[in-house]
Amino acid sequence: MLILSNNDVASLLSSLNCPQILDILDVLARALADDTVLQPPRQSFKHPQPASATTLVMPTLASSSSSFKIVSLDTSPESKNTSPKGSLLLFSLDGSLDAVLNATEITGFRTALASMIPVLLRFFPSLVCGKYEQLADGKGPSLKTALIFGAGLQAEWAAKLLLILCAHNKLYSPRIIIVNRSLDRARELIKKVLVWYEEKILHTTDSIPTFESYQLNRCTPQLMLLISEADAIFCCTPSRDPLFSAVELRSASALTKTRYISAIGSYTPDMKEIQPDMLVDKVLKFSTIVDTFEGCKVESGEIIGAYELLSRSDGPDVSEFGVSEVGVLWNKAKENRFCREIMENVFYKSVGTGAMDLAVAKELVKIVRDGNCGTYGVEVPF
């Protein structure tokens, strides 16, 4: 049995090169489209008062292995660390325990990595496959400015993965703006990512990324300008109040381009990182993509809110609101079929699935046992 601590997982993930990350992304995307994987609904338990913690339990069964994930989150309003803490257990088909991984870093990584699937299809078609690049007319829209809401692990990995993809594709590094309620935490994240970039990426490129930080209090004119300038927006917060709405995207400057928006930090019906009206706005005409439709229709406040708007007699036409699963789109692209919807305004929603944990964890365990990235963890009899 292999045991990987959080330091092991974090160091291993930070050591991966772009081809390795693209391989893991491919496995992850295919797992999201695999309808043979059994994923019972995620169970959520609130701890007895006065504790302000929630524990999530996620079992997953695939054809050759299974996993069991249990994590807890501090849900108090004053909490500064909302990253889940817990463990991910991998089992062989015969039920023997194959590996135990600390779940904190891997959860942030796999969620951010899944949000990069539409990024590849939209901005980096050459990294999907040669035929898809031709179908996309050689290139996608430009990714020059990325806006990231949040300063936790999801935000960190969103920034790192963007920089890895740009460096590998020999492109300029994008302007990355970190928006967070705590300006100090935003600046700490920027320092951490820059140290990692100098150690792991700088030798492969001459480009130095441009980082900015902005404090989130309310949607000020300056923030509205940043939103209108962004080519991609990554929402990585467990927010119960929308970070922005369709109004900010309907300004004259914002309507000069389309953009990619992901919401990967919220995971319960009462959380909303964007206003649901954005998804059914007839001017913006968003294409909506999810990690799992079954999960999002009961756990995503944004998707639930959009369908509530559609159910009203005076609301938009439900036939105009289509939802695609990201794994299906990836398989479509790998089969040399062009994903035209990915080139317009795109909204990606993730609530996370056990299949994501199982797929990524198995790949990491394989890399460790192959010994291609150094020595991590410890093997013990069990």
Side-chain angles (χ1 to χ4, degrees):
M1 176 184 69
L2 176 66
I3 299 177
L4 293 174
S5 69
N6 193 55
N7 285 339
D8 290 325
V9 175
S11 297
L12 173 59
L13 291 175
S14 292
S15 72
L16 298 177
N17 57 37
C18 191
Q20 289 172 315
I21 286 174
L22 290 175
D23 286 343
I24 297 174
L25 182 145
D26 181 62
V27 171
L28 172 60
R30 293 181 186 278
L32 285 169
D34 187 352
D35 56 10
T36 67
V37 177
L38 298 179
Q39 301 181 81
R42 174 167 50 202
Q43 297 296 305
S44 174
F45 304 95
K46 290 189 178 296
H47 288 242
Q49 295 294 334
S52 56
T54 299
T55 292
L56 306 176
V57 178
M58 302 168 65
T60 306
L61 292 85
S63 59
S64 60
S65 58
S66 60
S67 66
F68 188 88
K69 180 180 179 182
I70 180 167
V71 295
S72 293
L73 306 94
D74 184 351
T75 53
S76 61
E78 62 274 9
S79 175
K80 295 182 179 180
N81 186 355
T82 57
S83 297
K85 295 181 175 64
S87 299
L88 175 61
L89 283 65
L90 297 186
F91 298 91
S92 300
L93 192 59
D94 62 2
S96 58
L97 186 57
D98 186 46
V100 178
L101 298 85
N102 186 291
T104 300
E105 192 84 19
I106 198 172
T107 301
F109 171 79
R110 58 82 152 147
T111 310
L113 184 64
S115 74
M116 294 297 148
I117 299 172
V119 169
L120 280 180
L121 295 174
R122 179 182 177 89
F123 298 108
F124 305 105
S126 64
L127 299 182
V128 179
C129 63
K131 180 64 175 177
Y132 184 80
E133 181 182 14
Q134 295 174 19
L135 294 171
D137 196 23
K139 63 178 181 179
S142 297
L143 177 51
K144 296 181 179 179
T145 300
L147 197 63
I148 300 177
F149 286 87
L153 280 174
Q154 291 177 350
E156 176 183 336
W157 276 109
K160 286 180 176 179
L161 291 168
L162 281 176
L163 293 173
I164 289 171
L165 293 175
C166 286
H168 184 76
N169 219 34
K170 305 301 181 184
L171 293 178
Y172 48 81
S173 292
R175 171 193 180 204
I176 297 179
I177 305 160
I178 306 295
V179 181
N180 196 58
R181 297 188 188 280
S182 167
L183 196 56
D184 287 341
R185 286 198 65 204
R187 290 169 176 166
E188 289 171 6
L189 174 59
I190 291 172
K191 289 179 182 178
K192 183 177 181 180
V193 173
L194 283 174
V195 169
W196 163 85
Y197 187 86
E198 291 176 1
E199 292 179 353
K200 305 294 184 181
I201 306 297
L202 189 56
H203 68 280
T204 67
T205 177
D206 296 328
S207 181
I208 303 294
T210 300
F211 275 95
E212 300 172 26
S213 57
Y214 184 85
Q215 187 170 20
L216 176 64
N217 290 318
R218 60 187 184 280
C219 205
T220 62
Q222 184 179 356
L223 181 55
M224 290 180 66
L225 178 61
L226 294 176
I227 291 171
S228 70
E229 292 176 343
D231 302 296
I233 301 174
F234 298 87
C235 303
C236 308
T237 73
S239 180
R240 286 173 169 80
D241 299 314
L243 303 170
F244 57 93
S245 68
V247 174
E248 287 75 52
L249 298 179
R250 294 182 68 173
S251 67
S253 58
L255 288 174
T256 60
K257 67 167 74 177
T258 60
R259 57 189 48 77
Y260 169 67
I261 299 175
S262 68
I264 62 175
S266 54
Y267 54 90
T268 65
D270 62 331
M271 294 179 179
K272 296 181 181 70
E273 294 180 273
I274 58 101
Q275 285 281 15
D277 65 343
M278 183 189 306
L279 305 184
V280 295
D281 189 283
K282 291 186 177 181
V283 174
L284 298 174
K285 297 180 180 178
F286 267 90
S287 294
T288 301
I289 304 171
V290 297
D291 57 354
T292 161
F293 180 67
E294 291 301 316
C296 283
K297 72 180 183 180
V298 296
E299 294 181 321
S300 165
E302 299 91 351
I303 300 298
I304 293 170
Y307 275 106
E308 287 176 349
L309 290 172
L310 293 169
S311 67
R312 291 174 7 195
S313 59
D314 60 341
D317 184 358
V318 68
S319 65
E320 296 179 3
F321 182 59
V323 178
S324 304
E325 289 193 330
V326 71
V328 174
L329 287 182
W330 180 257
N331 284 347
K332 177 181 175 181
K334 298 295 279 189
E335 293 168 359
N336 298 324
R337 290 186 289 159
F338 184 51
C339 304
R340 190 169 304 280
E341 60 267 47
I342 209 74
M343 298 302 174
E344 301 303 322
N345 278 323
V346 174
F347 175 72
Y348 169 72
K349 177 63 197 177
S350 172
V351 293
T353 73
M356 297 164 69
D357 295 312
L358 178 57
V360 172
K362 285 181 65 176
E363 289 301 300
L364 295 183
V365 169
K366 180 181 177 182
I367 290 172
V368 169
R369 286 180 169 154
D370 287 345
N372 294 330
C373 285
T375 303
Y376 297 94
V378 58
E379 294 274 8
V380 298
F382 183 78

